[in-house]
Each structure stands twice: as structure tokens, then as C-alpha cells.
Coordinates of all heavy atoms in Angstrom, one line a residue:
M1 N 175.4 142.8 125.7 CA 175.6 142.9 124.2 C 174.3 143.7 123.7 O 173.2 143.5 124.2 CB 175.7 141.5 123.6 CG 175.8 141.6 122.1 SD 175.6 140.0 121.3 CE 177.2 139.3 121.6
A2 N 174.5 144.5 122.7 CA 173.4 145.3 122.2 C 172.8 144.6 120.9 O 173.6 144.0 120.2 CB 173.8 146.7 121.8
T3 N 171.5 144.7 120.8 CA 170.9 144.2 119.6 C 170.5 145.4 118.7 O 170.4 146.5 119.3 CB 169.7 143.3 119.9 OG1 168.8 144.1 120.6 CG2 170.1 142.1 120.6
H4 N 170.3 145.2 117.5 CA 169.9 146.3 116.6 C 168.5 146.1 116.0 O 168.1 144.9 115.8 CB 170.9 146.5 115.5 CG 172.3 146.7 115.9 ND1 172.7 147.9 116.3 CD2 173.3 145.9 116.1 CE1 174.0 147.8 116.7 NE2 174.3 146.6 116.6
Q5 N 167.8 147.2 115.8 CA 166.4 147.0 115.2 C 166.2 148.3 114.4 O 166.7 149.3 114.7 CB 165.4 147.0 116.3 CG 164.0 146.9 115.8 CD 163.0 146.6 116.9 OE1 163.4 146.0 118.0 NE2 161.8 147.0 116.7
L6 N 165.5 148.1 113.3 CA 165.2 149.2 112.4 C 163.9 149.9 112.9 O 162.9 149.3 112.9 CB 165.1 148.8 111.0 CG 166.4 148.3 110.4 CD1 166.2 147.9 108.9 CD2 167.5 149.4 110.5
Q7 N 164.0 151.2 113.2 CA 162.8 151.9 113.6 C 162.3 152.7 112.4 O 163.1 153.4 111.8 CB 163.1 152.9 114.8 CG 161.8 153.6 115.2 CD 162.1 154.5 116.4 OE1 163.1 154.5 117.0 NE2 161.1 155.3 116.8
R8 N 161.0 152.5 112.1 CA 160.5 153.2 110.9 C 159.8 154.5 111.1 O 159.4 155.2 110.2 CB 159.6 152.2 110.1 CG 160.5 151.0 109.6 CD 159.6 150.0 108.9 NE 160.5 149.1 108.1 CZ 161.4 148.3 108.5 NH1 161.6 148.2 109.8 NH2 162.1 147.6 107.6
G9 N 159.4 154.7 112.4 CA 158.7 156.0 112.6 C 158.4 156.1 114.1 O 158.9 155.3 114.9
Y10 N 157.6 157.1 114.4 CA 157.2 157.3 115.8 C 155.8 158.0 115.8 O 155.4 158.5 114.8 CB 158.2 158.0 116.6 CG 158.4 159.4 116.2 CD1 157.8 160.5 116.9 CD2 159.2 159.8 115.1 CE1 158.0 161.8 116.5 CE2 159.4 161.1 114.7 CZ 158.8 162.1 115.4 OH 159.0 163.4 115.0
I11 N 155.2 158.0 117.0 CA 153.9 158.7 117.1 C 154.0 159.7 118.2 O 154.8 159.7 119.1 CB 152.8 157.7 117.3 CG1 152.9 157.1 118.8 CG2 152.7 156.6 116.3 CD1 151.6 156.5 119.2
V12 N 153.1 160.7 118.0 CA 152.9 161.7 119.1 C 151.4 161.6 119.5 O 150.5 161.7 118.6 CB 153.2 163.1 118.6 CG1 152.9 164.1 119.6 CG2 154.7 163.1 118.3
V13 N 151.1 161.5 120.7 CA 149.7 161.5 121.2 C 149.4 163.0 121.6 O 150.0 163.6 122.4 CB 149.5 160.6 122.4 CG1 148.0 160.7 122.9 CG2 149.8 159.2 122.1
L14 N 148.3 163.5 120.9 CA 147.9 164.9 121.2 C 147.0 164.7 122.5 O 145.8 164.4 122.4 CB 147.1 165.4 120.0 CG 147.9 165.3 118.7 CD1 147.1 165.8 117.5 CD2 149.2 166.1 118.8
E15 N 147.6 165.0 123.6 CA 146.9 164.6 124.9 C 145.6 165.3 125.1 O 144.7 164.7 125.8 CB 147.9 164.8 126.0 CG 149.1 163.9 125.9 CD 150.0 163.9 127.1 OE1 149.9 164.8 127.9 OE2 150.8 162.9 127.2
E16 N 145.5 166.5 124.7 CA 144.2 167.2 125.0 C 143.1 166.7 124.1 O 141.9 167.1 124.4 CB 144.4 168.7 124.9 CG 145.3 169.3 126.0 CD 144.9 168.8 127.4 OE1 143.7 168.9 127.7 OE2 145.7 168.4 128.2
R17 N 143.4 166.0 123.1 CA 142.3 165.4 122.3 C 141.9 164.0 122.7 O 140.8 163.5 122.4 CB 142.8 165.3 120.8 CG 142.9 166.6 120.1 CD 143.1 166.4 118.6 NE 143.2 167.6 117.9 CZ 143.4 167.7 116.6 NH1 143.4 166.6 115.9 NH2 143.5 168.9 116.0
C18 N 142.8 163.3 123.4 CA 142.5 161.9 123.8 C 141.4 161.8 124.8 O 141.3 162.6 125.7 CB 143.8 161.3 124.4 SG 143.6 159.6 124.9
K19 N 140.5 160.9 124.5 CA 139.3 160.6 125.4 C 139.4 159.3 126.1 O 138.5 158.8 126.7 CB 138.0 160.8 124.7 CG 137.7 162.2 124.3 CD 136.3 162.4 124.0 CE 135.9 163.8 123.6 NZ 136.1 164.1 122.2
G20 N 140.6 158.7 126.0 CA 140.8 157.4 126.7 C 139.9 156.3 126.3 O 139.6 155.4 127.1
C21 N 139.5 156.2 125.1 CA 138.5 155.2 124.7 C 139.2 153.8 124.5 O 138.5 152.8 124.4 CB 137.9 155.6 123.3 SG 139.0 155.6 122.0
E22 N 140.5 153.8 124.4 CA 141.3 152.6 124.3 C 141.3 151.9 123.0 O 141.9 150.8 122.8 CB 141.0 151.6 125.4 CG 141.1 152.1 126.8 CD 140.9 151.1 127.9 OE1 141.2 149.9 127.7 OE2 140.5 151.5 129.0
L23 N 140.6 152.4 122.0 CA 140.5 151.7 120.7 C 141.9 151.5 120.1 O 142.1 150.5 119.4 CB 139.7 152.6 119.7 CG 138.2 152.5 120.0 CD1 137.4 153.5 119.1 CD2 137.6 151.1 119.8
C24 N 142.8 152.4 120.3 CA 144.1 152.3 119.6 C 145.0 151.3 120.3 O 145.9 150.8 119.6 CB 144.8 153.7 119.7 SG 145.0 154.3 121.4
V25 N 144.7 150.9 121.5 CA 145.6 149.9 122.2 C 145.7 148.6 121.5 O 146.8 148.1 121.1 CB 145.2 149.8 123.7 CG1 146.0 148.7 124.4 CG2 145.3 151.1 124.4
P26 N 144.5 147.9 121.2 CA 144.6 146.6 120.5 C 144.9 146.8 119.0 O 145.3 145.8 118.4 CB 143.2 146.0 120.8 CG 142.3 147.2 121.0 CD 143.2 148.2 121.7
A27 N 144.8 148.0 118.5 CA 145.0 148.2 117.1 C 146.5 148.1 116.7 O 146.8 147.8 115.6 CB 144.4 149.5 116.6
C28 N 147.4 148.4 117.7 CA 148.8 148.4 117.4 C 149.4 147.0 117.3 O 149.3 146.3 118.3 CB 149.5 149.3 118.4 SG 151.3 149.3 118.2
P29 N 149.9 146.7 116.2 CA 150.5 145.3 116.1 C 151.8 145.1 116.9 O 152.3 144.0 117.0 CB 150.8 145.2 114.5 CG 151.0 146.6 114.1 CD 150.1 147.4 114.9
E30 N 152.4 146.2 117.3 CA 153.6 146.2 118.1 C 153.5 146.4 119.6 O 154.5 146.6 120.3 CB 154.6 147.2 117.5 CG 154.9 146.9 116.0 CD 155.6 145.6 115.7 OE1 156.3 145.1 116.6 OE2 155.5 145.1 114.6
D31 N 152.3 146.5 120.0 CA 152.0 146.7 121.5 C 152.7 147.9 122.0 O 153.3 147.9 123.1 CB 152.4 145.4 122.3 CG 151.5 144.3 122.0 OD1 150.3 144.5 121.7 OD2 152.0 143.1 122.0
I32 N 152.6 149.0 121.3 CA 153.3 150.2 121.8 C 152.4 151.0 122.7 O 152.8 151.8 123.5 CB 153.8 151.0 120.5 CG1 154.9 150.3 119.9 CG2 154.1 152.4 120.9 CD1 155.3 150.7 118.5
L33 N 151.1 150.9 122.5 CA 150.1 151.7 123.2 C 149.6 151.0 124.4 O 149.3 149.8 124.4 CB 149.0 152.2 122.3 CG 149.5 153.1 121.1 CD1 148.7 152.9 119.9 CD2 149.5 154.5 121.6
L34 N 149.4 151.8 125.5 CA 148.8 151.2 126.7 C 148.1 152.3 127.4 O 148.5 153.5 127.3 CB 149.8 150.5 127.6 CG 150.8 151.3 128.3 CD1 151.4 150.5 129.4 CD2 151.9 151.8 127.4
M35 N 147.1 152.0 128.2 CA 146.4 153.1 129.0 C 147.2 153.4 130.3 O 147.7 152.5 130.9 CB 145.0 152.6 129.4 CG 144.1 152.5 128.2 SD 144.1 153.9 127.1 CE 143.5 155.2 128.1
G36 N 147.4 154.6 130.5 CA 148.1 155.1 131.7 C 147.2 155.6 132.8 O 146.0 155.5 132.7
R37 N 147.8 156.2 133.8 CA 147.0 156.7 134.9 C 146.9 158.2 134.8 O 146.1 158.8 135.5 CB 147.7 156.4 136.2 CG 147.6 154.9 136.5 CD 148.1 154.6 137.9 NE 147.9 153.2 138.3 CZ 148.3 152.7 139.4 NH1 148.9 153.4 140.3 NH2 148.1 151.4 139.7
R38 N 147.7 158.8 134.0 CA 147.7 160.3 133.8 C 146.4 160.7 133.1 O 145.8 160.0 132.3 CB 148.8 160.8 133.0 CG 150.2 160.6 133.7 CD 151.3 161.4 133.0 NE 151.4 161.1 131.6 CZ 151.2 162.0 130.7 NH1 150.9 163.3 131.0 NH2 151.3 161.7 129.4
T39 N 145.9 161.9 133.4 CA 144.7 162.4 132.8 C 145.0 163.8 132.2 O 145.9 164.4 132.5 CB 143.5 162.6 133.8 OG1 144.0 163.5 134.9 CG2 143.1 161.3 134.4
N40 N 144.2 164.1 131.2 CA 144.3 165.4 130.6 C 143.4 166.5 131.3 O 142.8 166.1 132.3 CB 144.1 165.4 129.1 CG 142.6 165.0 128.7 OD1 141.8 165.0 129.6 ND2 142.4 164.6 127.5
H41 N 143.4 167.7 130.8 CA 142.6 168.7 131.5 C 141.1 168.4 131.6 O 140.4 168.9 132.5 CB 142.9 170.1 130.9 CG 144.3 170.6 131.2 ND1 145.2 170.8 130.3 CD2 144.8 171.0 132.4 CE1 146.3 171.2 130.9 NE2 146.1 171.4 132.1
S42 N 140.6 167.6 130.7 CA 139.2 167.3 130.7 C 138.9 166.1 131.6 O 137.8 165.7 131.8 CB 138.7 166.9 129.3 OG 139.0 168.0 128.4
G43 N 140.0 165.5 132.2 CA 139.8 164.4 133.1 C 139.8 163.0 132.5 O 139.6 162.0 133.2
W44 N 140.1 162.9 131.2 CA 140.2 161.6 130.5 C 141.5 160.9 130.8 O 142.5 161.6 130.7 CB 140.0 161.7 129.0 CG 138.7 162.3 128.6 CD1 138.5 163.5 128.1 CD2 137.4 161.7 128.7 NE1 137.1 163.8 127.8 CE2 136.4 162.6 128.2 CE3 136.9 160.5 129.1 CZ2 135.1 162.4 128.1 CZ3 135.5 160.2 129.0 CH2 134.6 161.1 128.5
N45 N 141.5 159.6 131.0 CA 142.7 158.9 131.1 C 143.4 158.9 129.8 O 142.8 158.7 128.7 CB 142.4 157.4 131.5 CG 142.6 157.2 133.0 OD1 141.7 157.5 133.7 ND2 143.7 156.7 133.4
L46 N 144.7 159.0 129.8 CA 145.5 159.2 128.6 C 146.1 157.9 128.2 O 146.6 157.1 129.0 CB 146.6 160.2 128.8 CG 146.1 161.6 128.9 CD1 147.3 162.5 129.4 CD2 145.6 162.1 127.6
V47 N 146.2 157.7 126.8 CA 147.0 156.5 126.3 C 148.4 156.9 126.4 O 148.8 158.1 126.2 CB 146.5 156.2 124.9 CG1 147.0 157.2 123.9 CG2 147.0 154.8 124.5
E48 N 149.3 155.9 126.7 CA 150.7 156.2 126.8 C 151.4 155.2 125.8 O 150.8 154.3 125.3 CB 151.2 156.0 128.2 CG 150.6 157.1 129.1 CD 151.1 157.0 130.6 OE1 151.8 156.1 130.9 OE2 150.7 157.9 131.3
T49 N 152.7 155.4 125.7 CA 153.5 154.6 124.7 C 154.6 153.9 125.5 O 155.1 154.4 126.5 CB 154.0 155.5 123.6 OG1 154.9 156.5 124.1 CG2 152.9 156.1 122.8
Q50 N 155.1 152.8 124.9 CA 156.2 152.1 125.4 C 157.0 151.5 124.2 O 156.4 151.3 123.1 CB 155.8 151.0 126.3 CG 154.9 149.9 125.6 CD 154.4 148.8 126.5 OE1 154.8 148.8 127.7 NE2 153.5 148.0 126.0
N51 N 158.2 151.2 124.3 CA 159.0 150.6 123.2 C 158.8 151.2 121.9 O 158.6 150.5 120.9 CB 158.6 149.1 123.2 CG 158.8 148.4 124.5 OD1 159.8 148.7 125.2 ND2 157.9 147.4 124.8
M52 N 158.9 152.5 121.8 CA 158.7 153.2 120.6 C 159.6 152.8 119.5 O 159.3 153.0 118.3 CB 158.8 154.8 120.8 CG 158.4 155.6 119.7 SD 156.6 155.4 119.3 CE 155.9 156.5 120.6
E53 N 160.8 152.2 119.8 CA 161.7 151.8 118.8 C 161.1 150.6 117.9 O 161.6 150.3 116.9 CB 163.0 151.3 119.4 CG 162.9 149.9 120.1 CD 162.4 150.1 121.6 OE1 162.1 151.2 122.0 OE2 162.3 149.0 122.2
K54 N 160.0 150.1 118.4 CA 159.3 149.0 117.6 C 158.3 149.6 116.6 O 157.7 148.8 115.8 CB 158.6 148.0 118.5 CG 159.6 147.2 119.4 CD 158.9 146.5 120.5 CE 158.0 145.4 120.0 NZ 157.3 144.7 121.1
C55 N 158.1 150.9 116.6 CA 157.0 151.4 115.7 C 157.4 151.2 114.3 O 158.5 151.6 113.8 CB 156.8 152.9 116.0 SG 155.5 153.7 115.0
I56 N 156.4 150.7 113.5 CA 156.6 150.5 112.1 C 155.9 151.5 111.3 O 155.8 151.4 110.0 CB 156.2 149.1 111.7 CG1 154.7 148.8 112.1 CG2 157.1 148.0 112.3 CD1 154.2 147.5 111.6
A57 N 155.3 152.5 111.9 CA 154.6 153.6 111.3 C 153.5 153.1 110.4 O 153.3 153.6 109.3 CB 155.6 154.5 110.5
C58 N 152.8 152.1 110.8 CA 151.7 151.5 110.0 C 150.5 152.4 110.0 O 149.6 152.2 109.1 CB 151.4 150.2 110.5 SG 150.6 150.2 112.2
N59 N 150.4 153.3 110.9 CA 149.2 154.3 110.9 C 147.9 153.8 111.4 O 146.9 154.4 111.4 CB 149.0 154.9 109.5 CG 148.6 156.3 109.5 OD1 149.0 157.1 110.4 ND2 147.7 156.7 108.6
L60 N 147.9 152.5 111.9 CA 146.6 151.9 112.3 C 146.1 152.6 113.5 O 144.9 152.8 113.6 CB 146.8 150.4 112.6 CG 147.1 149.5 111.4 CD1 147.4 148.1 111.9 CD2 145.8 149.5 110.6
C61 N 146.9 153.0 114.4 CA 146.5 153.7 115.6 C 145.8 155.0 115.3 O 144.7 155.4 115.8 CB 147.6 154.0 116.6 SG 149.0 154.8 115.9
A62 N 146.4 155.8 114.3 CA 145.8 157.1 114.0 C 144.5 156.9 113.2 O 143.5 157.6 113.4 CB 146.8 157.8 113.1
L63 N 144.4 155.8 112.4 CA 143.2 155.6 111.6 C 142.0 155.2 112.5 O 140.9 155.6 112.3 CB 143.4 154.4 110.6 CG 144.3 154.8 109.4 CD1 144.6 153.6 108.6 CD2 143.5 155.8 108.5
I64 N 142.3 154.5 113.6 CA 141.2 154.0 114.4 C 140.7 155.1 115.4 O 139.6 155.0 116.0 CB 141.5 152.7 115.1 CG1 140.2 151.9 115.4 CG2 142.4 152.9 116.4 CD1 140.4 150.5 115.7
C65 N 141.6 156.0 115.7 CA 141.3 157.0 116.8 C 140.1 157.9 116.3 O 140.3 158.7 115.3 CB 142.5 157.8 117.1 SG 142.1 159.1 118.3
P66 N 139.0 157.9 117.0 CA 137.9 158.8 116.6 C 138.1 160.3 116.9 O 137.4 161.1 116.4 CB 136.7 158.2 117.4 CG 137.4 157.6 118.6 CD 138.7 157.1 118.2
D67 N 139.1 160.6 117.6 CA 139.4 162.0 118.0 C 140.6 162.6 117.4 O 141.0 163.6 117.7 CB 139.4 162.1 119.5 CG 138.1 161.8 120.2 OD1 137.2 162.6 120.1 OD2 138.0 160.7 120.8
R68 N 141.2 161.8 116.4 CA 142.4 162.3 115.7 C 143.4 162.8 116.7 O 144.0 163.9 116.5 CB 142.0 163.4 114.7 CG 140.9 162.9 113.7 CD 140.5 164.0 112.7 NE 141.6 164.1 111.7 CZ 141.5 164.7 110.6 NH1 140.3 165.2 110.3 NH2 142.4 164.8 109.7
A69 N 143.7 162.0 117.7 CA 144.6 162.3 118.7 C 146.0 161.8 118.6 O 146.8 161.9 119.5 CB 144.0 161.9 120.1
I70 N 146.2 161.1 117.4 CA 147.5 160.5 117.2 C 148.1 161.0 115.9 O 147.4 160.9 114.8 CB 147.5 159.0 117.3 CG1 147.0 158.5 118.6 CG2 148.9 158.4 117.0 CD1 146.9 157.0 118.7
D71 N 149.3 161.5 115.9 CA 150.0 161.8 114.7 C 151.1 160.8 114.5 O 151.8 160.5 115.5 CB 150.7 163.2 114.8 CG 149.6 164.3 114.6 OD1 148.5 164.1 114.1 OD2 150.0 165.5 115.1
V72 N 151.2 160.3 113.3 CA 152.3 159.3 113.0 C 153.3 159.9 112.1 O 152.9 160.6 111.1 CB 151.7 158.0 112.3 CG1 152.7 157.0 111.9 CG2 150.6 157.4 113.2
Y73 N 154.6 159.7 112.4 CA 155.7 160.2 111.6 C 156.5 159.1 111.1 O 156.9 158.2 111.8 CB 156.5 161.2 112.4 CG 155.8 162.4 112.9 CD1 155.1 162.4 114.1 CD2 155.7 163.5 112.1 CE1 154.4 163.5 114.5 CE2 155.0 164.7 112.5 CZ 154.3 164.6 113.7 OH 153.6 165.7 114.1
R74 N 156.7 159.1 109.8 CA 157.5 158.0 109.2 C 158.8 158.5 108.7 O 158.9 159.6 108.1 CB 156.7 157.4 107.9 CG 157.4 156.3 107.2 CD 156.7 155.9 106.0 NE 155.3 155.5 106.2 CZ 154.9 154.2 106.3 NH1 155.8 153.3 106.3 NH2 153.7 153.9 106.6
F75 N 159.9 157.8 109.1 CA 161.2 158.3 108.7 C 161.4 158.0 107.2 O 160.9 157.0 106.7 CB 162.3 157.5 109.5 CG 162.2 157.7 110.9 CD1 162.4 156.7 111.8 CD2 162.1 159.0 111.5 CE1 162.4 156.9 113.2 CE2 162.0 159.2 112.8 CZ 162.2 158.2 113.7
D76 N 162.2 158.8 106.5 CA 162.5 158.6 105.1 C 163.3 157.3 105.0 O 163.0 156.5 104.1 CB 163.4 159.7 104.6 CG 162.6 161.0 104.4 OD1 161.3 160.9 104.3 OD2 163.2 162.1 104.3
K77 N 164.2 157.1 105.9 CA 164.9 155.8 105.9 C 164.8 155.3 107.3 O 164.9 156.0 108.3 CB 166.4 156.0 105.6 CG 166.7 156.4 104.2 CD 168.2 156.6 104.0 CE 168.4 157.0 102.5 NZ 169.9 157.3 102.4
P78 N 164.6 154.0 107.5 CA 164.6 153.4 108.8 C 165.8 153.7 109.6 O 166.9 153.7 109.1 CB 164.4 151.9 108.6 CG 164.0 151.8 107.2 CD 164.5 152.9 106.5
L79 N 165.7 154.0 110.9 CA 166.8 154.2 111.8 C 167.2 152.9 112.4 O 166.4 152.1 112.8 CB 166.4 155.2 112.9 CG 166.1 156.6 112.6 CD1 165.9 157.4 113.9 CD2 167.2 157.2 111.7
K80 N 168.5 152.8 112.6 CA 169.0 151.6 113.3 C 169.1 152.1 114.8 O 169.8 153.1 115.1 CB 170.4 151.2 112.8 CG 170.9 149.9 113.4 CD 172.3 149.6 112.9 CE 172.2 148.8 111.6 NZ 173.5 148.2 111.3
V81 N 168.5 151.3 115.7 CA 168.5 151.7 117.1 C 169.2 150.5 117.9 O 169.0 149.4 117.5 CB 167.1 152.0 117.7 CG1 166.6 153.2 117.1 CG2 166.2 150.8 117.5
E82 N 169.9 150.9 118.9 CA 170.5 149.9 119.7 C 169.6 149.6 120.9 O 169.1 150.5 121.6 CB 171.9 150.3 120.2 CG 172.9 150.4 119.1 CD 174.3 150.5 119.6 OE1 174.5 150.4 120.8 OE2 175.2 150.6 118.7
I83 N 169.4 148.4 121.3 CA 168.5 148.0 122.3 C 169.3 147.1 123.3 O 170.0 146.2 122.9 CB 167.3 147.2 121.8 CG1 166.5 148.0 120.8 CG2 166.4 146.7 123.0 CD1 165.5 147.3 120.0
E84 N 169.2 147.5 124.6 CA 169.9 146.7 125.6 C 169.2 145.4 125.8 O 168.0 145.3 125.9 CB 169.8 147.5 126.9 CG 170.7 147.1 128.0 CD 172.1 147.6 127.8 OE1 172.3 148.7 127.2 OE2 173.0 147.0 128.4
E85 N 170.0 144.4 125.8 CA 169.4 143.0 125.9 C 169.2 142.7 127.4 O 170.1 143.1 128.2 CB 170.3 142.0 125.3 CG 170.1 141.8 123.8 CD 170.9 140.6 123.3 OE1 171.8 140.1 124.0 OE2 170.6 140.2 122.2
T86 N 168.1 142.1 127.8 CA 168.0 141.7 129.2 C 168.2 140.2 129.3 O 167.8 139.5 128.4 CB 166.6 142.0 129.7 OG1 165.6 141.5 128.8 CG2 166.3 143.5 129.8
A87 N 168.9 139.9 130.3 CA 169.2 138.4 130.5 C 168.0 137.6 130.8 O 167.1 138.0 131.5 CB 170.2 138.3 131.7
S88 N 167.8 136.5 130.1 CA 166.7 135.6 130.4 C 167.1 134.6 131.5 O 168.2 134.2 131.7 CB 166.3 134.8 129.2 OG 167.4 134.1 128.7
V89 N 166.1 134.3 132.4 CA 166.3 133.5 133.5 C 165.8 132.0 133.2 O 164.9 131.8 132.6 CB 165.6 134.0 134.8 CG1 166.6 134.0 135.9 CG2 165.0 135.3 134.6
Ligands
SF4_1 S1 152.0 153.6 113.8 FE1 151.5 151.4 113.9 S2 153.2 150.4 115.0 FE2 153.4 152.7 115.4 S3 152.2 153.0 117.3 FE3 150.8 153.3 115.6 S4 149.8 151.2 115.4 FE4 151.7 150.9 116.5
SF4_2 S1 141.9 155.9 120.2 FE1 142.4 158.1 120.4 S2 141.0 158.9 121.9 FE2 141.0 156.6 122.1 S3 142.6 156.2 123.7 FE3 143.6 156.1 121.6 S4 144.4 158.2 121.3 FE4 142.9 158.3 123.0

């Protein structure tokens, strides 16, 4: 069965600006950001995203980033997204 959630926005990480400082990771109230293993051309570890459908476009990640490496986009109207439910054991 599918569940529905309202997505309010999404972010784009400008990878060549990211220096892997990790400040944005705990700043996100929805746990969307995490450090990955990929690196940019300067050799910094890149922040990555997960579960983007949970983004509430609060802008906290962009505000805390010292390198202005995150752009936040807010939808005019929240989108309804379908999410696959996983069975609990
Ligand atoms: S805008 Fe807010 S909810 Fe979306 S990724 Fe950034 S901190 Fe998380
Ligand atoms: S705060 Fe900015 S520079 Fe630091 S890891 Fe996040 S996106 Fe990269």
C-alpha cells in the first residue's frame, strides 16, 4: 500500500563548492543530508541527500553552509508524493 506525503521543496548541492565540513548534516530537521564517499575535483568529500520527499524547504542547510553550496527550491504548492511502505518485522 502507498502512503502519501506533501513535499514542499528540494535542494541542489553545488558539488564543486562543497568542502565536506558536515555542518549542514545535523542542521537538517528531516535527516536528508549525509556525508558520502564521492569527492569533487578539489578532493573534498561531498554531502549527499536521501529521502528528498521529506524536504520542507526550511532553508536551514543553505543558511549554515559557509560555502553557499546548497540551493533550496520551494514549491508554490506542496506536491503529493507516493511512498512505498516497507513491511515492519
Ligand atoms: S531545506 Fe530544510 S528540510 Fe530541506 S534539506 Fe535543507 S535543512 Fe533539510
Ligand atoms: S555545509 Fe556546505 S560545504 Fe559543508 S558539507 Fe554541507 S554543503 Fe558541503
Side-chain angles (χ1 to χ4, degrees):
M1 178 189 283
T3 57
H4 302 280
Q5 179 169 335
L6 293 180
Q7 182 176 355
R8 290 175 163 71
Y10 65 99
I11 68 163
V12 173
V13 178
L14 308 174
E15 297 191 341
E16 291 310 315
R17 288 191 182 183
C18 179
K19 292 200 177 87
C21 68
E22 303 188 29
L23 286 174
C24 57
V25 174
C28 176
E30 301 296 333
D31 290 329
I32 288 169
L33 295 149
L34 69 164
M35 293 312 296
R37 291 186 174 178
R38 293 190 309 118
T39 56
N40 61 15
H41 285 114
S42 304
W44 299 109
N45 262 80
L46 291 169
V47 72
E48 294 182 356
T49 61
Q50 61 184 356
N51 304 324
M52 190 63 80
E53 73 278 358
K54 293 167 67 181
C55 181
I56 55 175
C58 66
N59 214 36
L60 289 174
C61 54
L63 285 173
I64 206 164
C65 177
D67 294 287
R68 304 182 73 167
I70 298 178
D71 286 340
V72 179
Y73 296 91
R74 183 187 297 266
F75 298 137
D76 288 340
K77 290 181 182 172
L79 290 187
K80 187 182 274 190
V81 293
E82 290 195 5
I83 300 168
E84 194 81 23
E85 278 187 346
T86 53
S88 55
V89 230

